[in-house]
Structures are given as structure tokens and as C-alpha cells.
């Protein structure tokens, strides 16, 4: 390893530790053999691995998918099962007293554990409360919840009765929440009085009340008491969970669901202004979430596993709840943030609960790396066996720090590339099978047929760089955009006919390793949160003083990307610092704190072609401070705009 440390980080190779390969679920030879079979005989391979779940009635058909024309994706289509049954009931004979969830509060004094038996009772009671409210199979239920165990109960209770949950991250504003409730015609919502983050309360119920003013279809709101903070109450609509749960049974038969019945909707950003309700179904998704969780984390029974994401994102769905619980694992749920009450919180939690597998995002690592090694070294992290990374490209410096300081050069790092639409991990190391290269997500998981194409759509063979596509379906794939299948086809299957287009750029090296280079569309990744620049633009132009706005990402040391907004005010208005402040606040209210602009750059005009198209390429370069390399500006209607933009950038 010493030799390597002389090399440039991208050229380093960290071989699978020998003892690790021996004990791991999958070594190199096994990976090669399984991968080959998974793509040459998908029916045989998935027919076998689908059996990792308990089915009420077994499937006969395994794969029935087409990326052509109308795009139709079905897996295990004649099988029936229930996701909640698979995450709870089937473990009870052997694991009733094993811990399913460890909850660690924002306040370090608060923590407790829930066994599988207790989880069963809580979820059944929650399911019976939902039924009593009138929630039926197929109904959409919007969850606007913090990181508390009741959120897990609510998700699994929906799954138990066949309702479709749609979780909206607690960092989204009332406006954003209303849009998502209305889009999926959700008649039901679940929230809690307040969330808590870094000692401060988050007014979830109050935000939901505000959202509800714009949601005429909302019939019932179930409210979990968490902090005990005061809330407004709408009689006839709002129901306290603890009241409703008083007289319900602790048993609830799981609904028999078809493999292709919807399990959940999750809204995500694309290159247009309106977020898409990505729909996942039951059978294929659960096979994918559980199999990737087991193989990628090399999960062993009894281990404590911690994914530090929020359940409001897909990572929380697949790797806090569905994957680990389907595998009978112990999954830690953390309510707080990495830096509260101190910058050593992550490491404190790992030591406290003897965490074996830890999964987080590069943005958190970069922020913690800045605090130096000492906060990590305060704690005994010897329980750690595997480290994971997700959400954005991990820069080699952060990778090396994670490996050396957190993992003490013992723990393989699994850098997992995937998306809301993929349901689970797609390109990722298996820790016993892949030598690691810092910054590379390595190779595809079983059944994932990756390819690179040029912008003209030509396939790139061997080493090279292009746009990342997937050429055939995998069980965890999203089936549609809720209520708008045409948009699904348009977004993912029209750029390259017959191929799933990921929206990511990617390089493949001589060893067949994949290096994700980031989005090639108008999507940016801010602190691991995916955002459409068009969403921020529509928020800005909704302000009465704004005439026009163009938003781009720019490199940010901690967040990965920051939000840079070019704003043109209505004629006759002078930009001021106060107005910039007001616009930042405005975007927070329209979308949520995660979309807060880093820079507001007032400009009298935007660079446009003669046909009126904004040249974003130029705006990106200027935001990146790359003035020397602006490319061809001759097609601009008024090239002098560029000089004034550069002047404006220099003063920032
Ligand atoms: O650009 C890729 C980036 O995050 C995008 C997907 O975002 P989202 O749907 O919010 O899902 C995030 C959690 C899976 C991708 O298109 N991305 C995600 N993981 C990685 C990544 N980029 C590089 N390396 C990763 N490991």
C-alpha cells in the first residue's frame, strides 16, 4: 500500500484483503460467474434469486420487459406477496427477539431498540389505524415525517394494507408538499407535530396545514406526537395517532399483493420544472433492495448496519427500511445531523452502537474531513467492517480519508452508484470481489447491463467516455411516472431508442471500471440532494420583481455542487443586497431549505442565441470561474452580455 500512496489517487488500487475474500459472500470468481449467468439467462438467474422472498403464490413468469415503443416492465408478474410480511412476519419464528431497528435521537441521550416482534405489533396497529380512517388498497398516502420509528411503521403499515406511500422529505416547503400531494391525488397524509434537527424543531404539522390549504382532495391527516409541541387542529380532518391506536388490534392480516402492484411513489427532480412521481412496484423492487443490501454490504446476521440517509430519499427507502428489514437485519435510524451536538456525532454513534456497516454520502464526509482526524480518533471504531458511499461522485481525497481515518485501512469502501429510478444499487463494488480504486463505483451488479454511448448514440467499446445507459431491464427498475407513462418514456427511453438513459456521464477504464463524472442534463446534485435547475428557475420567476432567471451548478468544496442563480429584474429596478436576501428566502419558501441559492448574480441580460435560447454552457463556465474557455460565442444575439457577466462574477 505504501507504493500506492506515491501514486495519483485515481491510479491507486486497493486489492481485496485476503482474509476478507475468504469470508465474503462473493469473491472474484463467484462474481464473474454470477454476473455472466445473470445477463445470459436472466429468467433462470432471477427465477432462482426471486425465491429469497416469501411468496404467497409463486411466480411462473420471471421477466417480461420491453424498452421499445410503449415501454413495459414486468417482473414476477403472476406471483403474489406482501412487502411488510417479508420485512417482518417471516422473520418471527427465528428472530422475534432480534433487534430490527435501533433509534438514535437528535438528542444523544435518547435511544432505544425495537425487536422484530415489537415491530410486528407496531406495524399491525398502525395498519389497523389506517384502515379505521378509511385508507384502502391502492390509495396514495403522503408521509411528511422525520426520522422516527413511526415513519418506518407508517411505511410498512401502508405496504401491509396495500396502500401506496409517497414520502416527501421534511426539508421541503409547504408549497412543494402541496404539489406532491395533489399530483398523486393523495387523500391521506401522515405527519407529526414537529421534527427535531440539531436541537431545533421543524414545524412539520404547521407546514402540512399550510400545504393542505391548496389540497382540496385531502380527507384525513394522521398526526404522530413526537415533541409534544403545540399544533393547530382541524376537527374532522386531523386524528392523533395515539388516540386512534387505543382500541385497535395488534394483528393485521397482510393484503395479498400482485408483484406488479405499486409499493410506493417517490418524487424526484428532472430537467423540467415539475418533479416526477417515480413509481416502484412490490416484487421486483423488494428482490432488488434485499439482494443488493446483502451482497454489497456482505451483510451477516447479527450485524449492526447504519445507513445515515433520510427516509425521505430513495436511499432511506431501500437501505434503511426495505432492504435491511427484508434481510432480517438490525438497521439503525438516526434522527440528527453529523455535527450536533458536536462534529464527532457520527463516530460517537458508531462506537455507542458498535456499528459494523456504515453508509453515508460524500458531502457529509467532506464536511467532517474538514474537522480533522481528532474527532474520529476520540472513538473506538473497531466494530466497523464495511464503509459505503452514495449520492454523488466521491472525490479521491474524501475516499482516502474515509479509508484511512475512519476505516483504519481495514474496511473496504463500497461506492454505490444508483438513482431513485433504479430502486437500488447498480454499479458498485462487492467488497470480497472487487479491488477498489478511489473514486470509481467499479462494476455493475448482477443483471445490470451497462453501456456507454456518444451523444450521437454510437456505442463506445472498451475504454472511453460517454453517456451511461442500461441496455436491458433489472427487477428493481421504476415502472412508470405516476399518472404519466408518456413522460416516463420521454424522459428515459427517447434520448437513445430502446435504452434506459441515466442522465449521467461516465468513463470506463482499461479494467472495465466505471467512473461516474456527473449529470449531463440540467440536474444538479447539492449535498447529495438531487435538484432540477428548472425548479429553482420557476421559483425565482414566480417572484413579482423577477423578469428572468437561469440557474446552474458550480463546484462547491463541501456540497459537491452549489446553486448559482443569474437573475434579471423587471425593467427599472436596481439590484440590492436586501433583494438578493429576499430572493434566497423566497426560494426556501417555494421549494425548501435544501434549494437555498448560494449566489444570486443580478444581470441586466442573459446570453441568448438569436432564436432566444439561453446558452447555459456559457453560464456554467462563468459560474465555474472558467472565463478563458467559453467556446463559440458568435451565435449570441448580443456577445457583449458575456463581458458584463464575467465582470459581475469577478466581484463575487
Ligand atoms: O448523478 C448520479 C448521482 O445521483 C444521481 C441520482 O440521484 P437520486 O435519484 O437522488 O439518488 C441518489 C441516491 C441513490 C445519479 O444520477 N449519484 C448517486 N450515487 C452516485 C452518484 N454519482 C456518482 N457516484 C455515486 N456513487
Amino acid at each position: 500500500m505504501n507504493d500506492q500512496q506515491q501514486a495519483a489517487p485515481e491510479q491507486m488500487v486497493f486489492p481485496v484483503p485476503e482474509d476478507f475474500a475468504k469470508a465474503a459472500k462473493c469473491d472474484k470468481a463467484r462474481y464473474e460467474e454470477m454476473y455472466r449467468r445473470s445477463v445470459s439467462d436472466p429468467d433462470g438467474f432471477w427465477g432462482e434469486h426471486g425465491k429469497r422472498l416469501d411468496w404467497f403464490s409463486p411466480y411462473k413468469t420471471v421477466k417480461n420487459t420491453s424498452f421499445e415503443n410503449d415501454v413495459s416492465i414486468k417482473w414476477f408478474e403472476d406471483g403474489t406477496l406482501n412487502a411488510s410480511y417479508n420485512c417482518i412476519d417471516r422473520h418471527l419464528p427465528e428472530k422475534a427477539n432480534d433487534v430490527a431497528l435501533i433509534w438514535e435521537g437528535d438528542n444523544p441521550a435518547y435511544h432505544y431498540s425495537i425487536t422484530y416482534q415489537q415491530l410486528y405489533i407496531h406495524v399491525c396497529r398502525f395498519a389497523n389505524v389506517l384502515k379505521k380512517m378509511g385508507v384502502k388498497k391502492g390509495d396514495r398516502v403522503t408521509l411528511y415525517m422525520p426520522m422516527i420509528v413511526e415513519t418506518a411503521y407508517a411505511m410498512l403499515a401502508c405496504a401491509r394494507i396495500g396502500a401506496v406511500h409517497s414520502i416527501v422529505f421534511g426539508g421541503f416547503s409547504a408549497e412543494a408538499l402541496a404539489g406532491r400531494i395533489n399530483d398523486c391525488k393523495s387523500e391521506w397524509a401522515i405527519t407529526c407535530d414537529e421534527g427535531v434537527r440539531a436541537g431545533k424543531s421543524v414545524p412539520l404539522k404547521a407546514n402540512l396545514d399550510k400545504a393542505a390549504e391548496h389540497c382540496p382532495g385531502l380527507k384525513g391527516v394522521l398526526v404522530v406526537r413526537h415533541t409534544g409541541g403545540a399544533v393547530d387542529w382541524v376537527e374532522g380532518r386531523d386524528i392523533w395517532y395515539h388516540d386512534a391506536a387505543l382500541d385497535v388490534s395488534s394483528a393485521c392480516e397482510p393484503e395479498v399483493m400482485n408483484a406488479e402492484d405499486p409499493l410506493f411513489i417517490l418524487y424526484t427532480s428532472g430537467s423540467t420544472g415539475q418533479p416526477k412521481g417515480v413509481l416502484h412496484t412490490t416484487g421486483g423492487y423488494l428482490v432488488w433492495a434485499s439482494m443488493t443490501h446483502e451482497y454489497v454490504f456482505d451483510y451477516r446476521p447479527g450485524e449492526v448496519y447504519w445507513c445515515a440517509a433520510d427516509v425521505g430519499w430513495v436511499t432511506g427507502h431501500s437501505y434503511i427500511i426495505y432492504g435491511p428489514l427484508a434481510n432480517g437485519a438490525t438497521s439503525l435510524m438516526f434522527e440528527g445531523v453529523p455535527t450536533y451536538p458536536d462534529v464527532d456525532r457520527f463516530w460517537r454513534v458508531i462506537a455507542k452502537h458498535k456499528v459494523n456497516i456504515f453508509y453515508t454520502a460524500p458531502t457529509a464526509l467532506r464536511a467532517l474531513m474538514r474537522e480533522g482526524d481528532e474527532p474520529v480518533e476520540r472513538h473506538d471504531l473497531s466494530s466497523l467492517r464495511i464503509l459505503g458511499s452514495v449520492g454523488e461522485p466521491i472525490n479521491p481525497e474524501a475516499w482516502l480519508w474515509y479509508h484511512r481515518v475512519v476505516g483504519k485501512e481495514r474496511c473496504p469502501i463500497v461506492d454505490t452508484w444508483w438513482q431513485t429510478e433504479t430502486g437500488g444499487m447498480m454499479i458498485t463494488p462487492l467488497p470480497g470481489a472487487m479491488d477498489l480504486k478511489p473514486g470509481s463505483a467499479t462494476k455493475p451488479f448482477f443483471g445490470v447491463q451497462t453501456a456507454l454511448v456518444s451523444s450521437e448514440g454510437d456505442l463506445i467499446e472498451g475504454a472511453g467516455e460517454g453517456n451511461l445507459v442500461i441496455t436491458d431491464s433489472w427487477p428493481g427498475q421504476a415502472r412508470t411516472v405516476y399518472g404519466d407513462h408518456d413522460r416516463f418514456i420521454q424522459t428515459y427511453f427517447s434520448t437513445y431508442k430502446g435504452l434506459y438513459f441515466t442522465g449521467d456521464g461516465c468513463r470506463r477504464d482499461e479494467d472495465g471500471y466505471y467512473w461516474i463524472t456527473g449529470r449531463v442534463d440540467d440536474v444538479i446534485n447539492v449535498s447529495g440532494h438531487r435538484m432540477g435547475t428548472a425548479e429553482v428557475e420557476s421559483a425565482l420567476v414566480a417572484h413579482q420583481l423577477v423578469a428572468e432567471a437561469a440557474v446552474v451548478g458550480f463546484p462547491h468544496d463541501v456540497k459537491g455542487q452549489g446553486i448559482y442563480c443569474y437573475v434579471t429584474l423587471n425593467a427599472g429596478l436596481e439590484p440590492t443586497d436586501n433583494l438578493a436576501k429576499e430572493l434566497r428566502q423566497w426560494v426556501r419558501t417555494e421549494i425548501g431549505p435544501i434549494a437555498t441559492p448560494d449566489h444570486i448574480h443580478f444581470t441586466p441580460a442573459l446570453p441568448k442565441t438569436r432564436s432566444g435560447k439561453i446558452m447555459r454552457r456559457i453560464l456554467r463556465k462563468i459560474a465555474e470561474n472558467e472565463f478563458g474557455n467559453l467556446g463559440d460565442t458568435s451565435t449570441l444575439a448580443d456577445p457583449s452580455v458575456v463581458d458584463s457577466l464575467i465582470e459581475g462574477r469577478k466581484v463575487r
Side-chain angles (χ1 to χ4, degrees):
M1 209 159 289
N2 280 340
D3 289 351
Q4 299 188 19
Q5 276 162 6
Q6 311 303 317
E10 307 74 46
Q11 267 131 39
M12 291 182 182
V13 179
F14 292 79
V16 177
E18 230 169 78
D19 49 338
F20 203 96
K22 269 191 231 127
K25 177 131 204 87
C26 193
D27 62 12
K28 282 183 188 169
R30 184 124 196 273
Y31 166 75
E32 294 296 342
E33 177 206 314
M34 283 177 74
Y35 182 78
R36 212 171 304 124
R37 169 135 190 263
S38 72
V39 297
S40 63
D41 175 21
D43 284 305
F45 183 88
W46 292 111
E48 206 173 282
H49 288 283
K51 293 193 187 128
R52 58 185 297 112
L53 301 183
D54 282 12
W55 297 80
F56 294 146
S57 55
Y59 47 84
K60 290 189 198 68
T61 308
V62 175
K63 180 176 188 286
N64 179 9
T65 68
S66 164
F67 283 0
E68 301 290 340
N69 305 324
D70 289 343
V71 182
S72 163
I73 301 159
K74 292 182 183 153
W75 285 87
F76 313 110
E77 62 186 290
D78 47 3
T80 62
L81 76 167
N82 181 285
S84 148
Y85 179 92
N86 271 282
C87 289
I88 310 170
D89 308 40
R90 68 166 174 156
H91 305 313
L92 295 180
E94 302 205 329
K95 294 190 162 196
N97 296 322
D98 286 7
V99 173
L101 295 172
I102 298 173
W103 183 74
E104 168 81 14
D106 182 66
N107 179 335
Y110 298 164
H111 60 98
Y112 54 81
S113 299
I114 300 292
T115 65
Y116 274 94
Q117 182 64 46
Q118 291 167 329
L119 183 64
Y120 171 81
I121 293 169
H122 284 299
V123 170
C124 285
R125 293 177 75 81
F126 214 111
N128 285 326
V129 166
L130 292 177
K131 278 186 174 174
K132 196 163 82 169
M133 283 173 71
V135 181
K136 301 210 166 43
K137 179 173 174 176
D139 284 1
R140 276 80 54 218
V141 181
T142 298
L143 272 62
Y144 188 57
M145 292 284 277
M147 288 289 289
I148 57 178
V149 286
E150 286 81 358
T151 310
Y153 305 160
M155 293 166 77
L156 292 163
C158 286
R160 199 162 187 90
I161 66 171
V164 183
H165 59 71
S166 165
I167 307 189
V168 178
F169 175 59
F172 279 116
S173 67
E175 279 72 10
L177 174 61
R180 287 157 173 79
I181 291 174
N182 291 333
D183 183 79
C184 70
K185 302 186 186 65
S186 184
E187 293 174 329
W188 315 103
I190 307 175
T191 190
C192 81
D193 47 7
E194 295 170 326
V196 189
R197 278 168 72 81
K200 292 198 204 80
S201 52
V202 183
L204 293 175
K205 170 71 165 66
N207 284 350
L208 190 111
D209 287 343
K210 230 198 281 163
E213 290 169 16
H214 308 284
C215 303
L218 200 59
K219 289 206 297 219
V221 176
L222 188 61
V223 188
V224 172
R225 185 144 75 195
H226 180 45
T227 63
V231 291
D232 290 341
W233 207 249
V234 177
E235 284 306 330
R237 186 198 72 183
D238 297 350
I239 301 163
W240 278 117
Y241 176 73
H242 58 264
D243 283 342
L246 277 178
D247 58 354
V248 295
S249 154
S250 305
C252 172
E253 276 300 300
E255 197 70 35
V256 175
M257 305 299 287
N258 183 273
E260 283 302 335
D261 281 336
L263 179 62
F264 66 84
I265 297 166
L266 187 55
Y267 283 87
T268 191
S269 300
S271 36
T272 59
Q274 190 63 29
K276 295 181 285 279
V278 167
L279 182 91
H280 282 285
T281 57
T282 308
Y285 169 79
L286 202 59
V287 167
W288 196 256
S290 78
M291 187 157 168
T292 46
H293 173 263
E294 184 181 358
Y295 277 80
V296 174
F297 294 119
D298 192 43
Y299 186 79
R300 298 173 191 172
E303 286 193 320
V304 176
Y305 158 85
W306 179 19
C307 165
D310 190 287
V311 284
W313 307 112
V314 73
T315 310
H317 284 63
S318 301
Y319 299 110
I320 297 178
I321 306 297
Y322 288 114
L325 297 182
N327 291 340
T330 298
S331 181
L332 191 150
M333 254 182 121
F334 175 48
E335 185 186 29
V337 302
T339 48
Y340 176 84
D342 197 355
V343 294
D344 69 343
R345 186 67 192 277
F346 268 5
W347 326 122
R348 184 176 290 277
V349 173
I350 291 171
K352 175 175 171 184
H353 296 289
K354 304 208 167 17
V355 171
N356 305 110
I357 301 164
F358 177 56
Y359 191 31
T360 189
T363 183
L365 295 172
R366 286 191 297 266
L368 296 174
M369 191 169 119
R370 300 217 302 197
E371 305 295 336
D373 302 358
E374 187 276 330
V376 190
E377 281 159 4
R378 269 180 230 162
H379 301 280
D380 173 8
L381 304 186
S382 57
S383 58
L384 283 175
R385 198 166 68 79
I386 292 181
L387 300 171
S389 171
V390 61
E392 53 181 311
I394 181 164
N395 47 313
E397 296 69 28
W399 193 103
L400 291 170
W401 183 81
Y402 200 21
H403 188 256
R404 177 176 59 81
V405 181
V406 181
K408 314 288 184 243
E409 300 185 345
R410 283 185 298 107
C411 305
I413 295 178
V414 289
D415 172 6
T416 63
W417 173 84
W418 58 293
Q419 310 178 295
T420 306
E421 295 87 341
T422 69
M425 299 154 175
M426 297 290 280
I427 303 181
T428 172
L430 301 187
M434 268 74 138
D435 298 339
L436 303 174
K437 302 187 189 188
S440 168
T442 73
K443 293 191 175 188
F445 191 73
F446 309 127
V448 176
Q449 304 194 45
T450 39
L452 301 182
V453 288
S454 68
S455 16
E456 291 74 42
D458 299 325
L459 220 55
I460 297 165
E461 305 281 353
E465 188 162 344
N467 290 340
L468 179 64
V469 296
I470 318 285
T471 62
D472 200 357
S473 184
W474 63 99
Q477 181 171 24
R479 304 305 195 242
T480 192
V481 168
Y482 185 81
D484 197 349
H485 194 62
D486 280 347
R487 192 164 172 212
F488 184 65
I489 300 171
Q490 196 54 38
T491 309
Y492 305 106
F493 302 93
S494 70
T495 316
Y496 304 109
K497 266 205 95 37
L499 304 172
Y500 169 82
F501 177 40
T502 62
D504 278 308
C506 184
R507 181 167 67 79
R508 186 171 46 216
D509 70 17
E510 297 72 24
D511 299 323
Y513 274 46
Y514 287 83
W515 302 72
I516 306 293
T517 52
R519 301 287 303 198
V520 294
D521 51 11
D522 291 320
V523 171
I524 52 177
N525 199 325
V526 182
S527 299
H529 301 319
R530 173 169 161 184
M531 211 167 300
T533 51
E535 282 169 67
V536 184
E537 286 166 9
S538 26
L540 285 166
V541 295
H543 190 281
Q544 55 175 355
L545 304 182
V546 174
E548 226 179 354
V551 174
V552 297
F554 72 102
H556 188 287
D557 283 351
V558 172
K559 300 181 186 179
Q561 278 185 297
I563 304 178
Y564 197 104
C565 308
Y566 296 91
V567 174
T568 306
L569 296 172
N570 289 338
L573 290 176
E574 276 303 312
T576 61
D577 286 350
N578 271 345
L579 188 51
K581 231 186 259 163
E582 185 179 321
L583 290 179
R584 285 159 62 92
Q585 187 51 44
W586 173 261
V587 175
R588 286 171 71 92
T589 317
E590 288 283 301
I591 306 177
I594 53 168
T596 310
D598 292 277
H599 288 299
I600 303 274
H601 181 153
F602 291 110
T603 170
L606 293 167
K608 290 186 187 166
T609 59
R610 280 179 213 105
S611 58
K613 200 168 161 341
I614 296 175
M615 286 185 86
R616 289 166 183 284
R617 175 175 55 79
I618 293 178
L619 294 176
R620 268 188 227 113
K621 293 272 183 220
I622 293 176
E624 286 165 15
N625 272 321
E626 294 243 349
F627 310 135
N629 185 17
L630 293 179
D632 181 13
T633 54
S634 62
T635 56
L636 285 176
D638 175 8
S640 73
V641 169
V642 173
D643 296 331
S644 89
L645 281 169
I646 291 175
E647 278 315 303
R649 178 66 175 120
K650 282 182 181 157
V651 297
R652 239 147 267 273

